Amino acid sequence: MARIITVANQKGGVAKTTTTLNLAYALHKFGKKVLTVDFDSQANLTTCYGIDNFNMGEVDIAHLMMDAMDEKTFPDPEIYIHTHDGVDFIPSSIYLSAVDAKLRMEMGAEQMLMKILNPLRERYDFIIIDTCPSLGALTINALSAADEVIITVNPQLLAMMGLQDLIHTVKKIKHRLNPRLEIAGILLTMCNPRTNLHKALVEEMVKAYEKKIKIFHTQIPRTVKVGEAIYYGMSIEQYSPKANAGIAYSKLAEEIISL
């Protein structure tokens, strides 16, 4: 039975997609069966898997969401689940932005993604959802479908602002929509521990949240290898096995497995 993990933060540029991609590959390396879901209309995760300009005639997560809202039968998973280097994924497209608008007019809109993913739980050990940079209807759907949420945070002042709003949203969803939902932890990404600002902000975060929310021991370092790996449609570890960021995602996978 899969653990469904949503990677979330309403801020952009905090490595949600990078984390989804590399955590999935790291878990796969440890022998886990993993499905990732691109739940962002920008479709960056889909691009990372080597699919550019996704063919709108093919089934992606947006089509499945429309089927869920229209109470239609879902197509066979083999039609919409793709595989890249051992990791399965459901792609996205710009069409998901239309879904976002329609969700606001639907009864029980928060449960649509859950309807899609629950029948797939038996196939996987982990299902990881990449989300858009907002706290709108799509992210609420992703949190409503999840067992756990990983909050990615870039330890810079502006990136840390709004963290309390996300935590408050998670608590409301847990109380009102999804009692299973827990915060797996806060993951610090794009870290440069040599700077005084980084040290000060991490210290501030630990002081504010350590006794309330787990802060992952693993920190993901800032490195150009991340961008290079994405360009070539590879995980960091595949692209550069000795890169610190790839090693860090392997350690993160171990932490996740041990939870």
Side-chain angles (χ1 to χ4, degrees):
M1 179 72 76
R3 288 166 57 186
I4 300 180
I5 300 174
T6 289
V7 180
N9 193 319
Q10 73 269 36
K11 295 286 186 181
V14 293
K16 292 188 294 294
T17 300
T18 299
T19 295
T20 301
L21 178 75
N22 287 282
L23 176 58
Y25 279 120
L27 289 167
H28 171 66
K29 186 190 73 172
F30 285 115
K32 304 301 180 182
K33 182 70 173 171
V34 185
L35 172 70
T36 58
V37 181
D38 190 346
F39 209 53
D40 183 356
S41 61
Q42 296 179 73
N44 290 329
L45 181 63
T46 301
T47 302
C48 289
Y49 286 125
I51 299 179
D52 291 311
N53 300 317
F54 190 75
N55 186 338
M56 293 298 285
E58 296 186 54
V59 178
D60 63 19
I61 192 63
H63 294 87
L64 297 174
M65 288 291 288
M66 286 294 190
D67 286 348
M69 285 185 279
D70 293 338
E71 300 289 339
K72 292 182 179 178
T73 302
F74 298 129
D76 239 12
E78 284 68 27
I79 292 175
Y80 58 83
I81 293 178
H82 301 246
T83 302
H84 189 274
D85 290 337
V87 173
D88 287 356
F89 68 99
I90 303 177
S92 182
S93 68
I94 191 64
Y95 184 37
L96 193 61
S97 58
V99 172
D100 190 14
K102 188 174 179 181
L103 281 170
R104 298 166 199 170
M105 300 179 287
E106 287 288 319
M107 291 187 296
E110 304 88 354
Q111 308 296 323
M112 297 299 111
L113 184 60
M114 182 178 65
K115 289 182 179 181
I116 297 166
L117 297 184
N118 274 351
L120 302 175
R121 276 183 181 265
E122 296 291 343
R123 293 171 169 243
Y124 298 97
D125 298 304
F126 290 91
I127 297 174
I128 308 176
I129 307 168
D130 184 30
T131 58
C132 55
S134 78
L135 284 180
L138 291 175
T139 299
I140 290 171
N141 250 268
L143 292 170
S144 297
D147 303 307
E148 305 160 63
V149 54
I150 294 174
I151 301 173
T152 56
V153 178
N154 177 350
Q156 296 181 10
L157 187 59
L158 291 177
M160 289 176 62
M161 292 174 63
L163 181 57
Q164 191 58 46
D165 290 338
L166 175 58
I167 292 170
H168 184 58
T169 298
V170 170
K171 288 180 179 178
K172 286 199 294 185
I173 290 173
K174 178 179 176 63
H175 292 151
R176 300 178 187 180
L177 298 170
N178 179 11
R180 303 184 320 277
L181 183 62
E182 300 290 346
I183 297 177
I186 295 172
L187 175 65
L188 299 178
T189 64
M190 306 169 72
C191 295
N192 186 355
R194 292 173 295 182
T195 68
N196 290 331
L197 177 61
H198 172 93
K199 293 174 184 176
L201 290 174
V202 170
E203 185 177 319
E204 181 181 324
M205 176 173 288
V206 169
K207 184 177 179 181
Y209 296 108
E210 189 177 37
K211 294 181 180 179
K212 304 173 187 176
I213 300 170
K214 175 182 173 65
I215 298 176
F216 287 107
H217 177 73
T218 303
Q219 296 183 8
I220 310 302
R222 180 186 294 275
T223 171
V224 295
K225 297 294 184 184
V226 172
E228 291 172 0
I230 288 174
Y231 178 80
Y232 289 108
M234 303 168 72
S235 70
I236 299 166
E237 190 171 32
Q238 288 172 315
Y239 176 72
S240 180
K242 295 182 180 179
N244 289 337
I247 294 169
Y249 276 114
S250 287
K251 291 180 178 178
L252 175 64
E254 290 183 295
E255 282 196 68
I256 294 293
I257 292 169
S258 68
L259 289 178

